[in-house]
Amino acid sequence: MVAFAKVAALLDQRRTGYSLPQAFYNDPEVFAFDLEHIFRRTWLLVGFECELPTPGARLALTVGKSPIVIVRGRDDVIRGFHNSCRHRGAELCAEGHGKGSRIVCPYHQWTFDLDGRLIHAGRMPADFDKAQHGLGAIHVETAGGCIYACLAEEAPDFEAFRREAGPMLEACNIKNAKVAATVTLVEKGNWKLVMENARECYHCAIGHPELAVTFPVLTKRHFEAGDDPRLLAFNARMEAAGLPIGPAEGEWWQAARFPLNAGMTSMTMDGEPAVKKLLIEKEGGDVGSLRWTSEIHSFAHATADMVFYFSSMPTDVNETVVTGKWLVHKDAVEGQDYAVDQLIELWDITNRQDRDLVETNQRGVNSVGYKPGRYSDEAESLVQRFVDWYCHEARNVVTGENRPFV
Amino acid sequence: MVAFAKVAALLDQRRTGYSLPQAFYNDPEVFAFDLEHIFRRTWLLVGFECELPTPGARLALTVGKSPIVIVRGRDDVIRGFHNSCRHRGAELCAEGHGKGSRIVCPYHQWTFDLDGRLIHAGRMPADFDKAQHGLGAIHVETAGGCIYACLAEEAPDFEAFRREAGPMLEACNIKNAKVAATVTLVEKGNWKLVMENARECYHCAIGHPELAVTFPVLTKRHFEAGDDPRLLAFNARMEAAGLPIGPAEGEWWQAARFPLNAGMTSMTMDGEPAVKKLLIEKEGGDVGSLRWTSEIHSFAHATADMVFYFSSMPTDVNETVVTGKWLVHKDAVEGQDYAVDQLIELWDITNRQDRDLVETNQRGVNSVGYKPGRYSDEAESLVQRFVDWYCHEARNVVTGENRPFV
Amino acid sequence: MVAFAKVAALLDQRRTGYSLPQAFYNDPEVFAFDLEHIFRRTWLLVGFECELPTPGARLALTVGKSPIVIVRGRDDVIRGFHNSCRHRGAELCAEGHGKGSRIVCPYHQWTFDLDGRLIHAGRMPADFDKAQHGLGAIHVETAGGCIYACLAEEAPDFEAFRREAGPMLEACNIKNAKVAATVTLVEKGNWKLVMENARECYHCAIGHPELAVTFPVLTKRHFEAGDDPRLLAFNARMEAAGLPIGPAEGEWWQAARFPLNAGMTSMTMDGEPAVKKLLIEKEGGDVGSLRWTSEIHSFAHATADMVFYFSSMPTDVNETVVTGKWLVHKDAVEGQDYAVDQLIELWDITNRQDRDLVETNQRGVNSVGYKPGRYSDEAESLVQRFVDWYCHEARNVVTGENRPFV
Ligand code: FES
Ligand code: FES
Ligand code: FES
Ligand SMILES: [Fe+3]
Ligand SMILES: [Fe+3]
Ligand SMILES: [Fe+3]
């Protein structure tokens, strides 16, 4: 409640079109507010269906300080649960991938079915009501091979995303992928600075010389083609090939297919595909990239040969963990169809450059001399959308309203 | 005062028979409350008389953030002091064991007698009153070779413990022991989760396969014999040999002698004594174990060959330092009568398993989806006693009352 | 505001002549208050003119959590700025020394002139007002080759320092020096404990046996000569040589020249100069030392052969970074005129001894049994001045007054 008053006052101070007041980036109470309220209000891209290939497969991860687990049921339905035992709260499934016909707590072996029901608890009295001790469910939806989760009581709308972005994702064949590599970075910066960094390419021309080889770093918003004949031709070619380009966006998401720089077919060091076995065989794999985002924490790029997934999760007021995953066709053979080093090289370099920029940003934002500065409308429109979205949600929380973000 | 209101509200929320509301396990304000108030209200088992063999011997340790020092005086009386110089507060004695005829501050050499009186302070004016700058005393009591300390203004009753548990401890011959090994573990978990773990064996059958060889892991509360003929025979044999079995308990302590698993005479990997020279020679050392506890932080086991001591001390809201000490007969010779590796192996493995369980517990308890769950009356009666005791003491603090815990 | 009430209550509790109430040394809210208010009120010795030899040279450092940068302009004027970009706040200049004709942000390359004006910002709209996005200036003054900065809106008086201490510093020839070595120590202690340690030699006789060889460790306040014939002769000789001895002091500073122990001409292990090429050639370099201080964070000693500079900067409630710099004549050649090992040996040993004392002090001050103790009037007069000054400034902050400290 103290935090609500503080956040409300900060929202009043905030000036549209300008970076946020300092406390949004470095105040522990605002951070606690973010974890408790903002991260619970929205959909998170937590993984991919191919990561849970068979009944009993599970994927555990931590959202802020909250461990969750995603599980494929015997009925093939993918569900999500708070990864916290209903006995004394132990984390049930260790972070990462696992498998098992039941969920057995490592502490006292209380045993839950894959649908969350408590089915065994040793040494409990006769009057113990198992039905009162099932796992807490979280919202889970899937679309185009992607798994989304939401920790809210009532989740925001998912249907618009499924309807509009679903076909764009389906075209990427993610259901037939596998995770080929995962890299985790710890960044000494507030999660909002990580996401502002991830939402603009204003810094790319100088900050990411390697990325600039393939990625159109001077692009605006959703890679608008304008009257560029090359871009217009790309768009027409994609539509003809049945690869919807969008752009589409909703309250908490965005998706658009766009062409890479001339002559480039993948986001690698040289623009050549890093994988021989393609996920998208249409047009010989010359299909640009589909970028899609969850406003609060993630973006992903699907080229013909791979999917690169970026997810940031706050761990402290000025610490954020970034997880990168690279997916390739499930039948691609390591060492034969692809080499992991080559597969990850470009985005790994890029993520480390961004980490350094985020940390530089945080150090300067901590200054008693920090003042919010004006964003570039051209180069930072999606940063502005992010901070507008955040401030809108934060206002909803402190007023108890539920106004949609438009 | 803010913390008092918060703790009072949390106590109101708490449901008897269930694990505690989340904030008791992970809120920094509740933790500060625990350190400031709860750890000062009760008796702590801080060491053993044999650790201070001669006048001037001292043992320094830290309770929460408060360094204390236990000192044997020239009159052989064991006293305790805040280990904080009365000049500018420097820690007087470095953590661990030491010796000296005076306590000399390492900063400006103010010098205190072993009874705490300031006896020298250089370059101070003539009107400086040394009597106003003696060391702050803490309560110290001994029983059966154990040293107990309390940081409260007024300490709770010690006489019941001395009267009832004293003879049980005397029978263990701890006065003739020595510390043969010490191991320290840092656990990323709140101290209450460490103590809940230490108060039940619900997790032992699966969690401690090595311990389960010798320890009766399905035992209840104080190892009640019920109508088990083996246990009843053990109890009769111990009484006949003059080894009181209890069980006995008071507000802040418990003590009971119990038999190990059939054929086992020590808590080691194979159940054989780890030390040739025994502390208890009665019955050829086939005397089970005496377990005794201080509710807030410690337990210990005395078998015929050794004493194992476990003490947990909070260092941060989710960090606790566990100190294990192994004591053997003072005349036992290392390399001849015992090997340290063998001596410590079982409890060291067990403590590390418990650390992992505690850390798993803490991660899950941090979840926004954590809900207090029901304890097992059979397997977790002492966990319930611990949380009931804690809540009772916390209520006393916030109401300013001093009701006894019954 | 919560902090203001807390600080006011603590100031009321404080007893003159005694060490401070505990919370001043270990409370996170008091620490935040110190960083936000106390460190902004006063002059800091941030470096030396010789560190910025040419236009465009810069020196970046962090005051608390606030990065600042000192820059020599094309007009040779030395200026200071908040080292935080006016776009999204990134740290502009990496900590340490740098050089460049413009200040270019590493994030999106906004470019500032050496006087702080924004002169280039890419992709910003036509209506963007660069004049509104210049760097935030901080106060900078120089005297005798030293650079002082103040982060307050209105800086306290500097003229008295320039007038009284300036000539004492000029005599030390610091303008013709260079930095020969820098050592950084992280100390687990509150900045006030670091400064109390730095303001007395009560601990030196025992705590610094190496320093005691050359430094008069039993000295009082400003090395008062009293009727000691050796000291009176030294004073007379210095005056005759045109080396003013002071002592002089103002609200936030002190300066005094004093003789080293008999036969010693530098603060080195053996009292011999560590540098062949002297900064002060008068009297063959037999000129004792000039000690000058900034009350809140620094002291420095200028002997004939070198300047030793000590600056402490708080990084957390119980963490302080100490930076030591050793300056020698700019024409002294390493390996020929001096060896770095020898140059730094005495103060490096001394600083590490002090770090251990500070950490010992902090551990003891954290005790629930800590009580403020009486300072020695003779040996700790400057410690008393420091805490009096701090309390005076803190009172000014919480009352909103601006009373001078006398
Ligand atoms: S905490 Fe899961 S079974 Fe006990
Ligand atoms: S702090 Fe102990 S003598 Fe000064
Ligand atoms: S933060 Fe400096 S140019 Fe963007
Ligand atoms: Fe980037
Ligand atoms: Fe255990
Ligand atoms: Fe010192």
Side-chain angles (χ1 to χ4, degrees):
Chain A
M1 289 310 172
V2 176
F4 276 30
K6 181 186 268 193
V7 169
L10 289 166
L11 290 170
D12 291 344
Q13 274 170 43
R14 181 235 174 183
R15 194 168 160 193
T16 304
Y18 284 73
S19 62
L20 296 173
Q22 183 181 54
F24 281 116
Y25 300 117
N26 74 355
D27 185 290
E29 287 183 328
V30 175
F31 178 70
F33 171 90
D34 289 351
L35 272 202
E36 176 75 18
H37 299 289
I38 304 298
F39 269 83
R40 292 187 75 173
R41 286 184 75 82
T42 192
W43 288 100
L44 308 165
L45 175 52
V46 293
F48 300 92
E49 284 192 61
C50 62
E51 296 187 77
L52 302 176
T54 52
R58 64 201 60 172
L59 172 60
L61 66 154
T62 306
V63 177
K65 300 193 187 302
S66 294
I68 63 171
V69 61
I70 311 295
V71 184
R72 186 180 290 271
R74 263 183 301 280
D75 55 3
D76 250 353
V77 173
I78 294 178
R79 295 181 179 83
F81 304 102
H82 291 295
N83 188 8
S84 174
C85 182
R86 289 302 319 288
H87 175 222
R88 275 162 50 193
E91 187 182 64
L92 293 161
C93 302
E95 191 138 330
H97 296 92
K99 191 166 162 44
S101 60
R102 302 276 189 266
I103 297 172
V104 182
C105 180
Y107 207 166
H108 313 94
Q109 289 74 48
W110 283 24
T111 301
F112 302 87
D113 203 354
L114 300 179
D115 61 5
R117 280 179 306 120
L118 175 60
I119 55 178
H120 175 74
R123 302 177 72 178
M124 292 301 287
D127 72 342
F128 174 62
D129 184 4
K130 288 202 196 78
Q132 295 299 316
H133 287 81
L135 294 184
I138 60 174
H139 299 278
V140 167
E141 295 285 351
T142 60
C146 302
I147 306 172
Y148 286 85
C150 176
L151 281 67
E153 300 291 308
E154 280 185 63
D157 174 66
F158 192 81
E159 288 317 304
F161 178 77
R162 192 198 312 280
R163 188 175 60 241
E164 296 179 48
M168 301 170 79
L169 291 167
E170 291 290 349
C172 296
N173 198 22
I174 301 171
K175 277 185 189 138
N176 287 312
K178 66 176 176 186
V179 173
T182 300
V183 174
T184 293
L185 296 180
V186 177
E187 313 198 346
K188 302 304 287 181
N190 184 270
W191 68 275
K192 295 189 195 91
L193 296 180
V194 174
M195 290 315 295
E196 291 193 27
N197 174 278
R199 285 284 176 273
E200 46 95 353
C201 235
Y202 195 5
H203 67 275
C204 295
I206 304 292
H208 300 311
E210 299 83 1
L211 181 68
V213 172
T214 55
F215 190 83
V217 295
L218 291 178
T219 200
K220 303 175 192 174
R221 201 162 173 86
H222 297 311
F223 312 101
E224 277 78 353
D227 52 8
D228 183 318
R230 188 176 77 87
L231 307 194
L232 293 169
F234 172 85
N235 290 358
R237 187 160 62 82
M238 291 303 105
E239 297 284 7
L243 290 160
I245 58 163
E249 65 179 34
E251 277 204 85
W252 55 269
W253 61 274
Q254 303 157 337
R257 180 168 292 280
F258 67 96
L260 299 173
N261 288 340
M264 305 296 173
T265 54
S266 182
M267 274 182 274
T268 52
M269 298 297 279
D270 60 4
E272 296 289 312
V275 191
K276 282 186 195 146
K277 174 80 186 158
L278 298 180
L279 284 160
I280 307 176
E281 299 201 329
K282 283 177 180 171
E283 300 290 308
D286 182 8
V287 296
S289 177
L290 176 73
R291 180 179 72 184
W292 77 106
T293 67
S294 284
E295 197 63 82
I296 199 170
H297 82 112
S298 80
F299 71 82
H301 275 279
T303 48
D305 58 334
M306 68 163 108
V307 176
F308 171 69
Y309 162 75
F310 172 103
S311 170
S312 80
M313 281 293 167
T315 47
D316 207 342
V317 59
N318 72 341
E319 189 182 275
T320 303
V321 171
V322 165
T323 301
K325 286 186 190 176
W326 287 258
L327 288 80
V328 301
H329 196 287
K330 70 179 190 314
D331 299 333
V333 179
E334 190 185 340
Q336 185 174 311
D337 293 315
Y338 67 97
V340 168
D341 282 5
Q342 255 177 281
L343 180 74
I344 72 170
E345 188 173 8
L346 177 62
W347 278 111
D348 194 46
I349 286 174
T350 301
N351 291 340
R352 288 169 200 273
Q353 289 162 340
D354 280 327
R355 178 195 54 197
D356 292 348
L357 292 171
V358 164
E359 295 183 348
T360 297
N361 198 359
Q362 180 75 58
R363 285 196 300 274
V365 163
N366 290 343
S367 167
V368 292
Y370 167 78
K371 281 188 200 162
R374 185 155 164 200
Y375 290 120
S376 163
D377 294 328
E378 182 202 303
E380 294 170 297
S381 64
L382 294 183
V383 180
Q384 295 195 48
R385 193 185 133 94
F386 167 73
V387 298
D388 289 348
W389 171 84
Y390 169 81
C391 290
H392 178 88
E393 293 299 316
R395 185 72 81 183
N396 267 345
V397 171
V398 299
T399 60
E401 293 176 298
N402 207 9
R403 295 164 302 118
F405 177 63
V406 286
Chain B
M1 289 309 172
V2 176
F4 277 29
K6 182 187 267 191
V7 169
L10 288 165
L11 291 170
D12 290 343
Q13 276 169 42
R14 181 235 174 183
R15 194 168 160 193
T16 305
Y18 284 73
S19 63
L20 296 173
Q22 183 181 56
F24 281 115
Y25 300 118
N26 73 356
D27 185 291
E29 287 183 328
V30 175
F31 177 71
F33 171 91
D34 289 352
L35 272 202
E36 176 74 18
H37 299 289
I38 304 299
F39 269 83
R40 292 186 77 174
R41 286 184 77 80
T42 192
W43 288 101
L44 308 164
L45 174 53
V46 293
F48 299 93
E49 284 191 62
C50 61
E51 296 186 76
L52 302 176
T54 52
R58 63 200 63 170
L59 171 61
L61 67 154
T62 306
V63 176
K65 300 193 187 303
S66 294
I68 62 171
V69 61
I70 311 296
V71 184
R72 186 181 288 272
R74 264 184 301 280
D75 53 4
D76 249 353
V77 174
I78 294 179
R79 297 181 179 81
F81 304 103
H82 291 294
N83 188 7
S84 174
C85 183
R86 288 303 318 288
H87 175 222
R88 274 161 50 191
E91 187 182 64
L92 293 162
C93 303
E95 190 137 331
H97 296 91
K99 191 166 162 44
S101 61
R102 302 277 189 266
I103 297 172
V104 181
C105 180
Y107 207 165
H108 313 92
Q109 290 73 49
W110 283 24
T111 301
F112 303 87
D113 203 353
L114 300 179
D115 61 5
R117 281 179 305 120
L118 176 60
I119 53 178
H120 175 74
R123 301 176 76 178
M124 292 300 287
D127 73 341
F128 174 63
D129 184 4
K130 289 201 195 77
Q132 295 299 315
H133 288 79
L135 294 184
I138 60 174
H139 300 278
V140 167
E141 295 286 351
T142 60
C146 302
I147 306 173
Y148 286 84
C150 175
L151 281 67
E153 300 291 308
E154 281 184 62
D157 174 66
F158 192 81
E159 289 317 304
F161 177 78
R162 192 197 313 279
R163 188 176 59 241
E164 297 180 47
M168 302 170 80
L169 291 166
E170 292 291 348
C172 296
N173 198 21
I174 301 171
K175 277 184 190 140
N176 287 312
K178 66 176 177 187
V179 174
T182 301
V183 174
T184 294
L185 295 179
V186 177
E187 312 199 346
K188 302 304 285 180
N190 184 270
W191 68 275
K192 295 189 195 92
L193 296 180
V194 174
M195 288 317 294
E196 292 194 26
N197 174 278
R199 284 284 175 273
E200 46 96 353
C201 235
Y202 195 6
H203 67 274
C204 294
I206 304 292
H208 299 312
E210 298 83 0
L211 181 67
V213 171
T214 55
F215 190 84
V217 294
L218 291 178
T219 200
K220 303 175 192 174
R221 200 162 174 86
H222 297 309
F223 312 102
E224 277 78 354
D227 52 9
D228 183 318
R230 188 176 75 87
L231 307 195
L232 293 169
F234 172 85
N235 290 358
R237 187 161 60 82
M238 292 303 105
E239 298 283 8
L243 291 160
I245 59 163
E249 65 180 35
E251 277 204 84
W252 56 268
W253 61 275
Q254 304 156 339
R257 180 169 292 281
F258 66 96
L260 299 173
N261 288 339
M264 306 296 173
T265 53
S266 182
M267 274 182 274
T268 53
M269 298 297 279
D270 60 4
E272 296 288 313
V275 191
K276 281 185 196 145
K277 173 81 185 155
L278 298 180
L279 283 160
I280 307 175
E281 300 202 327
K282 283 179 180 171
E283 300 289 307
D286 182 9
V287 296
S289 177
L290 176 73
R291 180 178 71 183
W292 77 106
T293 67
S294 283
E295 198 63 84
I296 199 170
H297 83 111
S298 79
F299 70 83
H301 276 278
T303 48
D305 59 333
M306 68 164 108
V307 176
F308 171 68
Y309 162 75
F310 172 104
S311 169
S312 80
M313 281 292 169
T315 46
D316 208 343
V317 59
N318 73 340
E319 189 182 275
T320 304
V321 171
V322 165
T323 301
K325 287 186 190 174
W326 287 258
L327 288 81
V328 301
H329 195 288
K330 70 178 190 313
D331 298 333
V333 178
E334 190 185 339
Q336 185 175 313
D337 293 315
Y338 67 97
V340 168
D341 283 3
Q342 253 177 283
L343 180 74
I344 73 170
E345 187 173 9
L346 176 62
W347 278 111
D348 194 46
I349 287 175
T350 300
N351 291 340
R352 287 169 201 274
Q353 290 161 340
D354 280 326
R355 177 195 55 197
D356 292 349
L357 291 172
V358 163
E359 294 183 349
T360 297
N361 198 0
Q362 180 75 59
R363 285 196 301 274
V365 162
N366 289 343
S367 167
V368 292
Y370 166 78
K371 282 188 198 160
R374 184 154 165 199
Y375 290 120
S376 164
D377 293 329
E378 182 202 303
E380 293 170 298
S381 63
L382 293 183
V383 180
Q384 295 195 48
R385 193 184 134 94
F386 167 72
V387 298
D388 289 349
W389 172 84
Y390 169 81
C391 291
H392 178 89
E393 292 299 315
R395 184 71 81 183
N396 268 345
V397 172
V398 299
T399 60
E401 294 176 296
N402 206 10
R403 294 165 301 119
F405 177 62
V406 285
Chain C
M1 289 310 170
V2 176
F4 277 29
K6 181 186 268 192
V7 169
L10 289 165
L11 291 170
D12 290 344
Q13 275 169 43
R14 181 235 174 183
R15 194 169 160 194
T16 304
Y18 283 73
S19 62
L20 296 173
Q22 183 181 55
F24 281 114
Y25 300 118
N26 74 354
D27 185 292
E29 286 183 328
V30 174
F31 178 71
F33 170 91
D34 288 352
L35 271 203
E36 178 75 19
H37 299 289
I38 304 299
F39 269 82
R40 293 187 75 173
R41 285 183 77 82
T42 192
W43 288 101
L44 308 165
L45 175 52
V46 293
F48 299 92
E49 284 191 62
C50 62
E51 296 187 77
L52 303 176
T54 53
R58 63 200 62 170
L59 172 61
L61 66 154
T62 306
V63 177
K65 300 193 187 301
S66 294
I68 63 171
V69 61
I70 311 296
V71 184
R72 186 181 289 272
R74 264 183 301 280
D75 54 3
D76 249 353
V77 173
I78 294 179
R79 295 181 180 82
F81 304 102
H82 291 294
N83 188 7
S84 174
C85 183
R86 289 302 319 287
H87 176 223
R88 275 161 50 193
E91 187 182 63
L92 293 161
C93 302
E95 190 137 329
H97 295 91
K99 191 167 161 43
S101 61
R102 302 276 187 267
I103 297 173
V104 182
C105 180
Y107 206 166
H108 312 93
Q109 288 73 49
W110 282 25
T111 301
F112 302 87
D113 204 354
L114 300 179
D115 62 5
R117 280 179 306 118
L118 175 61
I119 54 178
H120 175 73
R123 301 176 76 177
M124 292 301 286
D127 72 342
F128 174 63
D129 184 4
K130 288 202 197 76
Q132 295 299 314
H133 288 80
L135 294 185
I138 60 176
H139 300 278
V140 168
E141 295 286 350
T142 60
C146 303
I147 306 173
Y148 286 83
C150 175
L151 281 67
E153 300 291 308
E154 281 183 64
D157 174 66
F158 192 82
E159 289 317 304
F161 178 77
R162 193 197 312 279
R163 188 177 58 242
E164 297 181 46
M168 301 171 79
L169 291 166
E170 292 290 348
C172 296
N173 198 20
I174 301 172
K175 277 185 188 138
N176 287 311
K178 66 176 177 187
V179 174
T182 301
V183 174
T184 294
L185 295 179
V186 177
E187 313 199 346
K188 303 303 287 180
N190 185 270
W191 69 274
K192 295 189 197 91
L193 295 180
V194 175
M195 289 316 294
E196 291 193 27
N197 174 277
R199 284 284 176 273
E200 46 97 352
C201 235
Y202 195 6
H203 65 275
C204 295
I206 303 292
H208 300 311
E210 299 83 1
L211 181 67
V213 171
T214 55
F215 190 84
V217 295
L218 291 179
T219 201
K220 303 174 191 175
R221 200 163 173 86
H222 298 310
F223 312 102
E224 277 79 352
D227 52 9
D228 183 319
R230 187 177 74 89
L231 307 194
L232 293 169
F234 171 85
N235 291 358
R237 187 162 59 83
M238 291 304 105
E239 297 284 7
L243 291 159
I245 58 162
E249 66 180 33
E251 277 204 85
W252 55 268
W253 61 275
Q254 304 156 339
R257 180 168 293 280
F258 66 97
L260 299 173
N261 289 338
M264 306 296 174
T265 55
S266 181
M267 275 182 272
T268 53
M269 298 296 280
D270 60 4
E272 296 289 313
V275 190
K276 282 186 196 145
K277 173 80 184 156
L278 298 180
L279 284 161
I280 307 175
E281 301 201 328
K282 282 177 181 172
E283 300 288 308
D286 183 8
V287 297
S289 177
L290 176 73
R291 181 179 71 183
W292 77 105
T293 66
S294 285
E295 197 64 82
I296 199 169
H297 82 110
S298 80
F299 70 83
H301 276 278
T303 48
D305 58 334
M306 68 164 108
V307 176
F308 171 68
Y309 162 75
F310 173 102
S311 169
S312 80
M313 281 293 167
T315 47
D316 208 343
V317 59
N318 72 340
E319 190 183 274
T320 303
V321 172
V322 165
T323 301
K325 287 186 189 175
W326 288 258
L327 287 81
V328 300
H329 195 289
K330 70 178 190 314
D331 298 333
V333 179
E334 188 184 342
Q336 186 175 311
D337 292 313
Y338 66 97
V340 169
D341 282 5
Q342 254 176 281
L343 181 73
I344 73 170
E345 187 173 9
L346 176 63
W347 278 111
D348 194 46
I349 287 175
T350 300
N351 291 339
R352 288 170 201 274
Q353 289 162 339
D354 280 327
R355 177 195 55 197
D356 293 348
L357 291 172
V358 164
E359 296 184 348
T360 297
N361 199 357
Q362 181 75 59
R363 285 196 302 275
V365 163
N366 289 342
S367 166
V368 292
Y370 167 77
K371 281 188 199 161
R374 184 152 165 201
Y375 291 119
S376 163
D377 294 328
E378 181 202 302
E380 294 171 297
S381 63
L382 293 183
V383 180
Q384 295 194 48
R385 194 186 133 95
F386 167 72
V387 299
D388 289 349
W389 172 84
Y390 170 81
C391 291
H392 178 89
E393 292 300 315
R395 184 71 80 182
N396 268 345
V397 172
V398 300
T399 59
E401 294 175 297
N402 207 9
R403 294 165 302 119
F405 176 63
V406 285

